[in-house]
Amino acid sequence: QGVRETLAHAPRRAMGYAGYAPGHTVVEKTPIERALHRVSSEDAHDLLEKLTRNVARAPGDPKFRRLKASNATIAAKVFGNQEVLDCLLVLGWVREDVDGEDGLSLPSEVPGNMAHVRAIDAARIALRRRQEEDLRARIRARALDSDPERAALRAAYEADKAERKAAEPVTQGSVATQRGPGTMKTAKDVGASGSSGC
């Protein structure tokens, strides 16, 4: 009795095929992780980390919570880069007048967060890996194109793929085509219907 009640109130887990537990769980990215994934340069990650780290180290210092568009560097690297601006807005920065100028401010109730600094660092490492993978892929493609034997193999592969695609089952009905002015005859017309009653 007690065991059944315990099992009945236990948290349910997603089950996989044949009742086995799934092999892995898909973890949803946080909004800041999604925004950081869209940042396409390490320089942008460096700037985001510096701004976020400054607030985390000195959360009560107002100078680290205000950015003015009149500053040439801020104008170019923050307001001129939508990816960076989007990340800051997700981190809690608000676009508003700062001392009568267009700018961004981080409200005092938003605490400094070293977890965000670590997330930025992880995103920078992930970007570097993607860039390295893209570079290796381009190098492999160039090597393939410059090697006649490998290029021939690639061409043969593409031809084989096209042939397999052409051999796929027909999914559309045939269309009647006019073949000339001839007259059509049935099997019955030529005495080949196979019925003795004809």
Side-chain angles (χ1 to χ4, degrees), residues 120-139:
I120 294 167
D121 187 50
R124 178 173 45 228
I125 293 171
L127 172 65
R128 192 176 300 145
R129 286 175 179 166
R130 292 196 303 272
Q131 291 173 335
E132 289 171 354
E133 288 170 2
D134 289 344
L135 177 61
R136 285 195 293 268
R138 289 196 298 271
I139 291 172

Side-chain angles (χ1 to χ4, degrees), residues 158-182:
E158 294 296 336
D160 183 58
K161 186 166 70 171
E163 184 178 338
R164 287 197 306 272
K165 186 174 181 181
E168 289 177 356
V170 176
T171 57
Q172 294 181 345
S174 60
V175 179
T177 304
Q178 182 66 37
R179 295 296 184 184

Side-chain angles (χ1 to χ4, degrees), residues 70-88:
S70 59
N71 180 301
T73 300
I74 296 298
K77 295 186 175 183
V78 175
F79 293 96
N81 187 328
Q82 191 62 45
E83 297 168 349
V84 172
L85 187 58
D86 288 344
C87 283
L88 290 175

Side-chain angles (χ1 to χ4, degrees), residues 60-161:
D61 193 335
K63 74 179 180 181
F64 293 134
R65 292 177 172 267
R66 300 164 63 184
L67 301 173
K68 296 181 180 179
S70 59
N71 180 301
T73 300
I74 296 298
K77 295 186 175 183
V78 175
F79 293 96
N81 187 328
Q82 191 62 45
E83 297 168 349
V84 172
L85 187 58
D86 288 344
C87 283
L88 290 175
L89 294 174
V90 172
L91 287 168
W93 291 76
V94 179
R95 187 157 192 177
E96 60 185 4
D97 284 349
V98 176
D99 296 336
E101 302 176 15
D102 185 26
L104 288 167
S105 66
L106 185 64
S108 58
E109 60 268 20
V110 178
N113 195 330
M114 287 302 294
H116 289 158
V117 175
R118 291 190 292 272
I120 294 167
D121 187 50
R124 178 173 45 228
I125 293 171
L127 172 65
R128 192 176 300 145
R129 286 175 179 166
R130 292 196 303 272
Q131 291 173 335
E132 289 171 354
E133 288 170 2
D134 289 344
L135 177 61
R136 285 195 293 268
R138 289 196 298 271
I139 291 172
R140 286 195 299 269
R142 283 199 297 269
L144 184 62
D145 291 339
S146 62
D147 185 337
E149 184 177 341
R150 299 176 87 181
L153 286 173
R154 184 176 183 179
Y157 168 76
E158 294 296 336
D160 183 58
K161 186 166 70 171

